[in-house]
Amino acid sequence: SYSTSFSIGCKLLHSKIRKYIYAIYGFVRYADEIVDTFHDYNKLELLYRFKEETYAAIEQGISLNPILNSFQHAVNKFEIDHALIDAFLHSMEMDLTQKQHDPDSYKTYIYGSAEVVGLMCLKVFVEGDVKKYEELK
């Protein structure tokens, strides 16, 4: 119910991939909420903890956090490149630490906060087909 346009759009996807797109969306929303919401807490510390928990979930193939558990399933099933995850989390960190951008830092921020999310979803859309992914990327 957080994003009605996203939810409506996802209903158009084939049911076999829908849950993985929701998992990616849940992951990026969670990180974005850390950055945008928890004003009375050390957001950078929370983001670092989230990153550690993300990679532990991916490595172990499980998490007690349902969002990270769903995300690790998508990452592991479709072999989502960890560099995409790193770039996304780096942009979330930039939200906390950098208030002004030059053209290079802005490009880095946009790549990590938007483009890589699309690339993670693309891995799901092509169902892990590396050749198709590279062609469409």
Side-chain angles (χ1 to χ4, degrees):
S1 66
Y2 196 91
S3 174
T4 55
S5 61
F6 177 83
S7 293
I8 291 169
C10 271
K11 289 180 185 191
L12 300 173
L13 298 173
H14 194 284
S15 60
K16 70 180 178 180
I17 65 168
R18 189 179 306 136
K19 69 181 178 180
Y20 299 107
I21 299 302
Y22 274 120
I24 293 167
Y25 180 74
F27 171 76
V28 300
R29 285 292 335 135
Y30 195 123
D32 197 49
E33 286 302 315
I34 292 170
V35 170
D36 293 341
T37 305
F38 301 115
H39 304 302
D40 294 333
Y41 300 91
N42 183 331
K43 294 178 187 184
L44 203 53
E45 183 179 300
L46 293 174
L47 187 63
Y48 288 151
R49 187 178 335 149
F50 181 70
K51 181 177 182 176
E52 289 174 359
E53 291 171 5
T54 296
Y55 281 110
I58 292 167
E59 182 180 313
Q60 296 167 8
I62 192 167
S63 175
L64 297 178
N65 176 322
I67 292 177
L68 291 180
N69 194 51
S70 294
F71 183 65
Q72 69 80 20
H73 277 291
V75 170
N76 289 325
K77 179 174 178 63
F78 298 103
E79 298 179 350
I80 294 173
D81 189 341
H82 293 193
L84 298 175
I85 302 165
D86 287 341
F88 171 75
L89 292 170
H90 177 68
S91 285
M92 294 300 98
E93 183 178 338
M94 289 174 80
D95 263 347
L96 295 173
T97 60
Q98 191 168 352
K99 299 304 175 202
Q100 292 195 349
H101 292 279
D102 60 32
D104 288 336
S105 69
Y106 184 70
K107 183 178 177 180
T108 298
Y109 175 76
I110 294 300
Y111 172 74
S113 64
E115 189 175 338
V116 298
V117 178
L119 292 172
M120 286 188 252
C121 290
L122 181 59
K123 281 291 240 179
V124 176
F125 294 149
V126 300
E127 298 181 57
D129 182 328
V130 176
K131 183 179 177 190
K132 192 66 157 173
Y133 175 81
E134 289 300 325
E135 178 185 322
L136 294 170
K137 179 179 152 185

